[in-house]
Amino acid sequence: FGRALYWAVGDATFTCPFLTFCYSHVILFSFYSSGPRGEALQHGQSGTLPHFLEEPVDAYIVKSNPIKLRCQARPALQIFFKCNGEWVHQSQHSSQEHTDLGTGLKIREVMINVSRQQVEDFHGPEDYWCLCVAWSHLGTSKSRKATVRIAYLRKNFEQDPQGTEVPLNGMIVLHCRPPEGVPVAEVEWLKNEEPLSSDGVIDTRGDHNLIISEARLSDSGNYTCVASNIVAKRRSATATVVVYVNGGWSSWTDWSPCNVRCGRGVQKRSRTCTNPAPLNGGAFCEGMSVQKSTCNTLCPVDGSWGEWSMWTVCSSDCERQRSRECTAPEPKHGGRLCDGVALATDNCTGGLCTQNRKLLHDAKPQGVENSSDVALYSGLAAGVVTVVLLIIAVTLYRRSQSEYGVDVIDSSALTGGFQSFSFKTSRQANPLLINSSMQPDLTVSRTYTSPMCFQDSIDKELMAERSLLDPLPDLKVKGQKTELCFIVSPGVEERAEYHVMSHPQTFPRGLAPDYRGVSVGTTLGRRSKNLFTPQVSLTPSRPVHKATAVFGHAGGRLVVPNTGISLLVPHGAIAEDTTWEMYMIINQQDSSTVSKDEPEIFLSPAVTYGPPGLDLSCPIAMTIAHCAEVAADNWTIRLKRQMQDKWEEVMSVDEESTSCYCLLEAQRCHVLLEHPGRYALVGEPLNQDAAKRLRLAVFGSADTSNSLGFTLRVYCVDDTPHAFQEVAVGERSRGGRLLEEPKMMLFRGNTFSLQVSIQDIPQLLWSIKPFTTCQEFSFSQVWASDQRPLQCAFSLERYSHSSSQLSCKISVRQVKGEEQILQVYTSVVENEKGVVPFFTQSDCTITSQTGSRAFKIPLSIRQRISATFDMSNAKGKDWQLLAQKLRIDRNLCYFACQESPSSVILSLWEAQHQDSGDLDSLASALEEISKIQSSGITSLGCSREEQDSEFAKLG
């Protein structure tokens, strides 16, 4: 009955669940007390209140999806939810019941759904909440309150991070306040779309701010604040952070030498804004990059003779003497010594001297006095005629010898010098033990050394004549040629000063000086060879680089100025009594690739030397500048010769050959050749790391059509003197100024293009033509250029005439490669005095030097060295040891095939050291050899004292 009443009452009173359960509780309690024991055990042991195994938890409603709240308790007769102080109707409950197998107690579980609408309709002082109430026969238990909230995340950040520019090592602070949301959004930072990791330098505070206490260059980038919760993810505006570096001046360079050799001149020093260089918009260095100062150089004073002294008393030899001194004035500061003799001798008896202590006229009989007078005067007349003829003969002989430059015994006339020095100390040792540190007595004489850009006014006149620039075929000329007399001025600086005395007739015999524009043929020697020199077609828009000179048995040097191209003709290479007019021409290539089917490119200009039928007895040395980066083994470099419009391989610089020799250096290659022709260095890249050097230069000039305009021209050319000279010549013709020292960059064969852009233009003072701030050269234009300068121009315009200063940066970079920055800081109204010079030395047009003065090693010493080292000894070939010590011991089989290996080795050394003129390496090598083979080298064809004297000069 009690059970029936329970269900009846319970089913009839849904609207009052609490009262229903009060009744049922009373009834059940009575029934339990009076009924069977097993019936009561269904509801648990006595003294046990409901215990919650699971309580409702806080929840969020996402969008319109309802959430479930769950309760579980034991023992429990019934469980109901109560939300916001009101009971949830039983129909909204979902319950289930099962028995705990361990204890046998009933476990009841109840769930309800809470919708978004329910939460939104609730208006109370606190959040929407629910709890569970569980009943047992002993009483009730309540669970914890669980809140239900509607989750959301606003779209707009309360504070977005702001971009900033900070100096290097400055502090970066980026503020971020995420949008309002439930639950509260979590924040993370992105840098360049990648999650930002804290590495101990970056601090992300609890207030979501990003702090970097010491900014690094790598901290530059785009930063984004990201806020997210269970509803959505929001991104803030992107903040760009730029870490810039303000420019700093480097140390001043040393003062340059005075730009004049005599009198008042100018010297300068410079510094660059590279310590550090401005970066990422950093400020350019304030102040001037070049300082100039006046300087005074003492002018040379040529010596002059003083008055003759009185004649001395007649000696027993019937001679008297008088003397004079070179003191009116004395030679000073490199001036020339007096010409002529300091001591004069004269017969003091008028030609009548003593014979057996008696006068000649006393010894003669009286009867023949008149006839003896006639004989006397006849003899005197004959003697005078003989002396005159002898003087004429000697003069003609010396002129002939001077014309052909044959001076096999002169060991003092040397470029840079072997003057007859008087040393303060002497060495008594092996003649090959050379002390390179021994200094000459500078009170006696001093020497200069010089690069091959020598000053020679007569050659300037010769090179100005087209008649000597363009060979004329089938022209026979004998004997007569240009006579150059070089006198080395004393000095101690490493610079040469040449004075030229020209012969009155400076053209080959048979040519008039006014034959301008007419081609001149090969100048033939006394054997009168008739050869044909092929004409070279010239491109009118490009300058011709050419040199011509006449060489004889004494040899000499031929130079194409400011191109890095030269030719050394050793002494004896041309037969005696023979002269050749030799020439060198830099040929302009139509393409920089050797052929369409091969990946090879030109690394040097194509150089032709001739004439074609040149007869040589030993190799000549050609020096060619190249632009390959040979520090790494990324190239296969070959020497090629053009034969009938086709380039054929002569040899690879890494291989050995008996027909040719190549000595490859970082910026040039020295080649020993025996056959005239057109030669060039070509390279085949082995991988994408192969690189060639580019020289970058920026020139500027005012816009002639616009008084406010200024044009910047950026050149990217192969890093060879010849390529840059073309740029310099072109810019001179248009009045351009070099605004920054040229720089070098490596351009790699990775197929990526070259980009040139202008940056940091003062926006308030200057404007630039739209869409021209960044320009690009394709890879093929740069990699396989036809030796023509690549140029791009930036047209700028200032807003007013008062804006005379221009500062900006030119960035030249290869995509996925190197980058160089050219700093431009100039005045647009600057005159020529402030222009950066095109070349480190003044432009020269002197192309040749003949005879012994063209060589660093005096001929007499060279001949003795060759004679000694060409001989064999018990320890092997001495010339091999000489090559090893001079670091040119590769491809020794080539030298072994030569008639005089040592002479060829010394010719190669001459070509290698033509600019520095430094004999230390040769002196050191001979000294080492003398220590190694002191017993094998005993003589140089002279006495020990003479050897010491000769090699003391070399030391």
Side-chain angles (χ1 to χ4, degrees):
F1 173 78
R3 187 175 303 158
L5 178 62
Y6 168 78
W7 291 115
V9 175
D11 292 341
T13 58
F14 288 122
T15 57
C16 186
F18 183 74
L19 180 60
T20 302
F21 283 105
C22 288
Y23 291 152
S24 63
H25 182 72
V26 173
I27 295 172
L28 288 174
F29 180 78
S30 301
F31 182 79
Y32 173 77
S33 300
S34 60
R37 182 176 179 84
E39 192 75 19
L41 288 174
Q42 294 180 359
H43 304 286
Q45 298 295 333
S46 60
T48 302
L49 289 174
H51 171 67
F52 283 97
L53 302 178
E54 182 178 354
E55 297 184 85
V57 295
D58 299 339
Y60 296 93
I61 296 177
V62 178
K63 297 182 180 179
S64 297
N65 300 321
I67 55 98
K68 292 183 180 293
L69 296 180
R70 185 192 309 271
C71 280
Q72 191 180 70
R74 70 177 180 188
L77 297 176
Q78 191 59 277
I79 301 175
F80 276 89
F81 272 94
K82 188 175 185 179
C83 295
N84 300 321
E86 298 182 358
W87 294 99
V88 179
H89 198 276
Q90 186 176 1
S91 62
Q92 299 179 8
H93 289 70
S94 174
S95 62
Q96 59 182 4
E97 187 180 61
H98 61 274
T99 303
D100 188 348
L101 297 179
T103 60
L105 300 178
K106 294 289 184 179
I107 299 176
R108 179 172 291 274
E109 182 179 4
V110 179
M111 293 181 295
I112 64 171
N113 290 332
V114 179
S115 67
R116 182 185 183 96
Q117 186 66 38
Q118 289 177 262
V119 178
E120 289 179 345
D121 292 342
F122 172 70
H123 299 284
E126 55 184 349
D127 293 331
Y128 189 97
W129 59 270
C130 292
L131 57 80
C132 295
V133 179
W135 281 271
S136 70
H137 68 286
L138 291 181
T140 61
S141 297
K142 292 183 179 180
S143 71
R144 64 176 295 277
K145 282 185 178 182
T147 59
V148 179
R149 304 178 66 184
I150 298 176
Y152 66 92
L153 184 64
R154 305 293 184 197
K155 290 185 177 181
N156 297 326
F157 278 72
E158 294 185 8
Q159 183 176 5
D160 285 306
Q162 301 296 318
T164 182
E165 295 182 358
V166 296
L168 186 67
N169 298 325
M171 177 177 286
I172 301 175
V173 179
L174 298 179
H175 298 280
C176 177
R177 294 176 60 188
E180 179 186 354
V182 174
V184 176
E186 297 180 354
V187 172
E188 66 173 342
W189 286 90
L190 302 180
K191 176 186 176 183
N192 298 329
E193 302 303 324
E194 296 292 336
L196 185 63
S197 60
S198 178
D199 56 0
V201 179
I202 300 175
D203 179 18
T204 53
R205 300 289 179 84
D207 54 2
H208 312 306
N209 295 335
L210 175 65
I211 300 176
I212 302 176
S213 57
E214 292 187 4
R216 303 160 297 183
L217 289 176
S218 58
D219 293 328
S220 297
N222 297 321
Y223 290 83
T224 307
C225 180
V226 178
S228 61
N229 63 4
I230 60 176
V231 178
K233 179 182 290 187
R234 310 293 186 200
R235 292 169 56 94
S236 70
T238 299
T240 300
V241 174
V242 177
V243 180
Y244 61 86
V245 178
N246 291 325
W249 288 114
S250 65
S251 300
W252 287 103
T253 61
D254 295 334
W255 286 102
S256 65
C258 202
N259 65 340
V260 296
R261 293 193 176 97
C262 174
R264 184 181 179 87
V266 177
Q267 59 181 169
K268 68 177 183 178
R269 64 176 182 174
S270 61
R271 57 180 179 175
T272 57
C273 190
T274 56
N275 187 32
L279 190 63
N280 296 337
F284 194 81
C285 302
E286 295 183 359
M288 299 303 295
S289 61
V290 178
Q291 280 187 349
K292 296 182 180 180
S293 175
T294 58
C295 55
N296 286 284
T297 304
L298 296 177
C299 296
V301 178
D302 295 337
S304 182
W305 292 112
E307 295 293 332
W308 286 101
S309 64
M310 299 295 293
W311 288 105
T312 62
V313 179
C314 191
S315 66
S316 60
D317 295 331
C318 303
E319 289 183 347
R320 59 178 182 176
Q321 295 179 342
R322 65 176 180 176
S323 62
R324 58 180 177 175
E325 295 182 353
C326 188
T327 57
E330 293 182 359
K332 295 180 180 179
H333 315 308
R336 288 181 294 181
L337 296 173
C338 301
D339 293 330
V341 297
L343 182 64
T345 303
D346 183 39
N347 192 297
C348 54
T349 63
L352 300 176
C353 197
T354 60
Q355 184 178 32
N356 296 327
R357 299 192 177 187
K358 291 184 179 180
L359 293 178
L360 291 177
H361 66 270
D362 292 338
K364 293 176 183 179
Q366 289 287 340
V368 295
E369 182 177 355
N370 295 331
S371 62
S372 64
D373 291 340
V374 174
L376 174 62
Y377 291 118
S378 299
L380 288 176
V384 171
V385 172
T386 303
V387 171
V388 171
L389 292 177
L390 181 61
I391 292 175
I392 294 175
V394 171
T395 303
L396 292 177
Y397 175 78
R398 293 184 62 184
R399 177 173 299 177
S400 174
Q401 292 295 86
S402 175
E403 286 174 348
Y404 291 100
V406 179
D407 183 12
V408 298
I409 62 173
D410 181 12
S411 64
S412 64
L414 172 69
T415 304
F418 292 91
Q419 303 291 341
S420 298
F421 296 130
S422 297
F423 289 92
K424 296 180 180 179
T425 60
S426 62
R427 301 188 57 181
Q428 302 297 327
N430 190 300
L432 292 182
L433 290 176
I434 298 174
N435 184 0
S436 61
S437 63
M438 185 178 294
Q439 299 298 321
D441 187 351
L442 299 182
T443 62
V444 178
S445 61
R446 295 175 288 183
T447 62
Y448 284 107
T449 58
S450 169
M452 276 309 299
C453 192
F454 29 80
Q455 304 299 320
D456 188 346
S457 60
I458 179 62
D459 273 354
K460 291 182 181 179
E461 297 174 6
L462 290 177
M463 292 307 298
E465 297 293 337
R466 288 293 302 273
S467 59
L468 290 182
L469 293 179
D470 300 324
L472 177 67
D474 302 329
L475 181 62
K476 301 179 181 179
V477 182
K478 286 187 178 181
Q480 183 73 24
K481 71 177 187 66
T482 304
E483 176 179 345
L484 303 179
C485 179
F486 294 90
I487 300 176
V488 182
S489 300
V492 292
E493 299 177 357
E494 293 202 352
R495 183 181 297 270
E497 184 178 88
Y498 296 83
H499 301 277
V500 178
M501 294 184 293
S502 60
H503 194 276
Q505 173 69 342
T506 58
F507 286 83
R509 185 174 301 169
L511 294 182
D514 57 351
Y515 279 5
R516 300 179 182 271
V518 179
S519 299
V520 179
T522 306
T523 299
L524 302 182
R526 297 179 182 178
R527 297 177 184 175
S528 296
K529 299 182 180 180
N530 186 6
L531 300 173
F532 173 73
T533 302
Q535 296 296 319
V536 180
S537 61
L538 304 177
T539 304
S541 60
R542 305 181 72 175
V544 179
H545 301 286
K546 182 176 181 181
T548 306
V550 178
F551 294 100
H553 184 72
R557 199 185 301 272
L558 188 62
V559 177
V560 183
N562 296 322
T563 62
I565 309 297
S566 63
L567 191 71
L568 179 73
V569 182
H571 178 275
I574 299 176
E576 295 188 33
D577 299 331
T578 303
T579 57
W580 290 91
E581 181 177 9
M582 300 179 62
Y583 60 84
M584 292 182 70
I585 303 173
I586 299 180
N587 306 99
Q588 310 297 347
Q589 299 298 319
D590 295 331
S591 173
S592 188
T593 55
V594 180
S595 67
K596 296 181 179 178
D597 301 330
E598 298 179 0
E600 295 178 326
I601 62 171
F602 282 101
L603 299 175
S604 76
V607 180
T608 301
Y609 90 89
L614 182 63
D615 186 14
L616 299 172
S617 61
C618 64
I620 65 173
M622 177 187 290
T623 299
I624 306 177
H626 66 82
C627 63
E629 176 61 24
V630 295
D633 297 331
N634 298 320
W635 288 97
T636 296
I637 300 178
R638 301 180 178 92
L639 177 69
K640 289 202 171 186
R641 182 183 182 188
Q642 191 174 27
M643 302 292 291
Q644 298 179 352
D645 297 330
K646 182 179 179 182
W647 288 93
E648 297 181 355
E649 180 176 344
V650 178
M651 70 170 294
S652 174
V653 297
D654 295 328
E655 298 174 354
E656 295 192 356
S657 172
T658 58
S659 61
C660 185
Y661 190 96
C662 290
L663 178 61
L664 185 67
E665 295 180 336
Q667 296 183 342
R668 57 185 181 174
C669 183
H670 308 285
V671 186
L672 295 177
L673 300 169
E674 297 183 16
H675 304 290
R678 180 178 298 181
Y679 295 89
L681 285 178
V682 300
E684 178 182 355
L686 300 179
N687 49 55
Q688 292 190 351
D689 290 331
K692 70 174 187 176
R693 302 187 311 276
L694 296 182
R695 188 177 298 188
L696 313 176
V698 55
F699 290 82
S701 62
D703 190 345
T704 56
S705 61
N706 183 2
S707 62
L708 296 176
F710 193 78
T711 302
L712 297 178
R713 289 178 296 278
V714 182
Y715 292 89
C716 306
V717 299
D718 291 346
D719 187 26
T720 60
H722 158 250
F724 186 69
Q725 189 188 21
E726 285 201 51
V727 174
V729 171
E731 281 295 327
R732 256 193 203 139
S733 63
R734 65 169 59 177
R737 293 186 283 124
L738 184 62
L739 303 182
E740 169 70 343
E741 293 286 352
K743 293 186 177 181
M744 188 275 291
M745 74 170 289
L746 295 181
F747 186 81
R748 303 196 178 275
N750 54 15
T751 71
F752 290 102
S753 59
L754 187 72
Q755 295 179 347
V756 183
S757 60
I758 186 169
Q759 304 171 2
D760 297 346
I761 302 173
Q763 300 293 332
L764 300 179
L765 303 177
W766 290 84
S767 64
I768 186 171
K769 187 177 181 180
F771 309 110
T772 62
T773 56
C774 184
Q775 303 178 37
E776 186 168 338
F777 298 116
S778 66
F779 173 79
S780 60
Q781 284 180 290
V782 184
W783 186 252
S785 64
D786 60 353
Q787 304 292 329
R788 292 178 180 270
L790 295 178
Q791 170 194 347
C792 64
F794 299 99
S795 297
L796 305 174
E797 184 176 356
R798 45 184 172 152
Y799 290 118
S800 68
H801 289 281
S802 60
S803 303
S804 61
Q805 298 295 324
L806 172 61
S807 63
C808 62
K809 293 189 296 186
I810 304 292
S811 169
V812 183
R813 62 179 293 268
Q814 184 183 16
V815 179
K816 296 188 178 180
E818 288 193 2
E819 180 182 18
Q820 276 286 11
I821 300 295
L822 299 173
Q823 301 282 353
V824 176
Y825 185 78
T826 185
S827 171
V828 297
V829 295
E830 192 171 6
N831 55 25
E832 291 295 327
K833 295 182 179 179
V835 177
V836 179
F838 287 169
F839 300 104
T840 56
Q841 62 185 30
S842 60
D843 298 346
C844 70
T845 58
I846 306 309
T847 60
S848 66
Q849 194 177 22
T850 58
S852 60
R853 290 175 174 82
F855 303 98
K856 308 300 177 185
I857 308 173
L859 178 60
S860 58
I861 296 181
R862 178 190 179 100
Q863 290 175 335
R864 292 171 183 172
I865 293 176
S866 299
T868 301
F869 284 96
D870 284 342
M871 295 188 301
S872 302
N873 59 28
K875 298 183 180 180
K877 295 285 187 180
D878 289 336
W879 64 263
Q880 295 178 354
L881 187 58
L882 177 64
Q884 177 185 352
K885 293 304 178 182
L886 295 181
R887 295 182 177 87
I888 51 177
D889 54 343
R890 192 185 61 80
N891 194 12
L892 292 180
C893 59
Y894 175 82
F895 299 115
C897 298
Q898 302 299 320
E899 181 178 352
S900 175
S902 300
S903 179
V904 178
I905 292 172
L906 293 178
S907 295
L908 185 59
W909 184 92
E910 288 270 6
Q912 188 180 9
H913 296 81
Q914 60 180 304
D915 293 336
S916 63
D918 183 13
L919 292 169
D920 286 345
S921 62
L922 180 60
S924 299
L926 295 177
E927 186 173 1
E928 291 181 17
I929 293 173
S930 67
K931 293 177 181 178
I932 296 173
Q933 295 187 345
S934 58
S935 61
I937 303 176
T938 58
S939 176
L940 290 174
C942 55
S943 66
R944 174 60 59 87
E945 291 75 11
E946 291 174 336
Q947 293 178 41
D948 289 342
S949 175
E950 291 291 345
F951 283 98
K953 299 176 184 178
L954 194 61

